[in-house]
Amino acid sequence: MSAIDAEGFLIDSSAWTREFALETATQLGISLTDDHWNVLQTVRDFYLRTGVSPSMRPLVNLVRNVDPCLASSIVLAQMFTSKTSKVVAQLSGIPKPSDCL
């Protein structure tokens, strides 16, 4: 397993693998579906382009471009728990969004 910080975030986002996401999701009680993978890849691509870990509102906007049916905070919370942007970042192997506690 790759090096993680005390909160379970990858220290080096370039070390991310699908296996890391699967193991972390399992620990969080999340079963990853194709919809999950689409969200995770969208967020990773955004982070690699911008260097920004999206908080909830930008996350919803990003997802809207991929699948409008998933583009709501309620749907994303059902998929990724109530700590949506934090969990999405963690599973995507990117840093915790700056507005997360």
Side-chain angles (χ1 to χ4, degrees):
M1 185 121 174
S2 300
I4 56 174
D5 67 14
E7 292 184 84
F9 288 86
L10 276 177
I11 294 171
D12 176 7
S13 63
S14 68
W16 182 85
T17 62
R18 287 178 66 93
E19 291 75 24
F20 171 82
L22 283 168
E23 288 176 26
T24 304
T26 299
Q27 292 170 3
L28 296 171
I30 298 170
S31 296
L32 297 178
T33 65
D34 288 343
D35 287 339
H36 287 90
W37 287 115
N38 288 336
V39 171
L40 297 179
Q41 192 59 56
T42 299
V43 170
R44 275 195 65 74
D45 291 345
F46 177 78
Y47 175 76
L48 293 173
R49 278 193 328 272
T50 66
V52 174
S53 292
S55 57
M56 191 57 162
R57 186 169 295 195
L59 175 61
V60 170
N61 288 332
L62 282 171
V63 171
R64 184 172 288 118
N65 295 326
V66 175
D67 188 340
C69 295
L70 302 177
S72 100
S73 56
I74 294 169
V75 171
L76 291 172
Q78 290 170 340
M79 292 173 64
F80 292 101
T81 79
S82 61
K83 298 177 182 178
T84 307
S85 57
K86 181 178 179 180
V87 170
V88 168
Q90 189 176 21
L91 295 177
S92 298
I94 65 175
K96 181 171 73 171
S98 59
D99 66 341
C100 288
L101 300 174

